[in-house]
Amino acid sequence: GAVVSQHPSRVICKSGTSVKIECRSLDFQATTMFWYRQFPKQSLMLMATSNEGSKATYEQGVEKDKFLINHASLTLSTLTVTSAHPEDSSFYICSATRIAETSDDEQFFGPGTRLTVL
Amino acid sequence: LAKTTQPISMDSYEGQEVNITCSHNNIATNDYITWYQQFPSQGPRFIIQGYKTKVTNEVASLFIPADRKSSTLSLPRVSLSDTAVYYCLVGAYSGGYQKVTFGIGTKLQVIP
């Protein structure tokens, strides 16, 4: 159990276009979803935290108007990269936490989405 | 959020036990220690989580000393498929979720 999916797995777009990435928790309800970005040979960098029905909390240095996050339900969060540019090319990974009964809950990660902006 | 320090890389031969140590000197009382494995172009995969002493599951053991300022992930008898980046994370349950910070990770290379 506890599977997180992402769609699409890979996307190539032209500079200036917007790209939407979906993150779904397939067999559990997620209280919180996280969005990370990972550049080649680097670690995951947390971009934002989203809770269902409320505005996302962005990390310092992440433009909220460029990376739009919508967490419409307990199983779906979307990240939209608006007016994408080549420097936005990266590996985007989401994760989700279950509605926790104890304080040691883990994050379940999606498989990632490779975005390439030409 | 507590910062973690791990070796950047390690090499090991197949069949050997591998121990990766992570330092987290400013770990907070309510922080848990979690280890993840990541293969190239994939999302991280949960390995093990603990709070104190020793935790063991079907793939690894986690040793945490009494002061909790470090932890050691132990992988018994590694195989080539264990070649990956291993991340040590420290984070707390806070308002319904566990916010964590990824360090640089340890790149483990298993040699035939």
Side-chain angles (χ1 to χ4, degrees):
Chain A
V3 178
V4 175
S5 70
Q6 284 184 239
H7 179 79
S9 59
R10 184 183 297 269
V11 58
I12 301 173
C13 69
K14 293 182 179 180
S15 184
T17 60
S18 294
V19 175
K20 179 184 286 188
I21 303 171
E22 292 185 349
C23 176
R24 293 181 185 273
S25 56
L26 297 184
D27 50 2
F28 67 99
Q29 291 185 322
T31 50
T32 304
M33 288 184 171
F34 302 87
W35 286 96
Y36 296 84
R37 181 168 53 180
Q38 185 175 33
F39 293 107
K41 297 187 178 181
Q42 293 188 25
S43 186
L44 284 76
M45 297 296 296
L46 180 65
M47 298 176 66
T49 304
S50 74
N51 292 290
E52 183 264 341
S54 62
K55 290 184 178 180
T57 302
Y58 290 82
E59 295 299 302
Q60 192 173 6
V62 178
E63 300 175 56
K64 61 180 182 180
D65 294 330
K66 181 170 182 62
F67 299 100
L68 301 179
I69 293 172
N70 183 7
H71 195 154
S73 75
L74 284 172
T75 59
L76 173 64
S77 176
T78 59
L79 168 68
T80 301
V81 183
T82 62
S83 187
H85 290 284
E87 57 267 28
D88 298 323
S89 298
S90 187
F91 192 53
Y92 292 86
I93 306 170
C94 73
S95 72
T97 58
R98 285 181 292 204
I99 296 175
E101 296 178 353
T102 65
S103 58
D104 61 346
D105 209 17
E106 64 181 89
Q107 291 188 35
F108 300 95
F109 287 83
T113 296
R114 174 75 61 191
L115 171 64
T116 303
V117 184
L118 302 176
Chain B
L1 297 173
K3 182 179 177 181
T4 60
T5 304
Q6 312 171 224
I8 294 175
S9 64
M10 293 180 70
D11 293 337
S12 175
Y13 288 103
E14 267 191 298
Q16 290 189 329
E17 177 185 78
V18 171
N19 296 308
I20 306 174
T21 297
C22 177
S23 298
H24 27 80
N25 290 319
N26 58 341
I27 187 170
T29 302
N30 56 346
D31 282 345
Y32 279 78
I33 301 158
T34 312
W35 285 80
Y36 285 87
Q37 175 192 56
Q38 186 183 28
F39 297 112
S41 296
Q42 294 186 27
R45 186 175 72 97
F46 174 87
I47 301 175
I48 198 165
Q49 183 181 74
Y51 184 79
K52 61 180 179 180
T53 63
K54 177 184 175 181
V55 180
T56 298
N57 61 22
E58 61 276 9
V59 297
S61 294
L62 178 59
F63 300 92
I64 306 170
D67 65 5
R68 303 201 326 123
K69 293 184 182 298
S70 67
S71 60
T72 299
L73 172 71
S74 182
L75 304 172
R77 298 181 60 79
V78 294
S79 64
L80 295 176
S81 61
D82 293 318
T83 294
V85 178
Y86 292 82
Y87 294 99
C88 161
L89 280 69
V90 174
Y93 180 75
S94 174
Y97 62 86
Q98 187 184 66
K99 181 176 178 179
V100 294
T101 300
F102 279 81
I104 193 67
T106 298
K107 184 174 183 179
L108 173 65
Q109 180 69 50
V110 180
I111 306 165

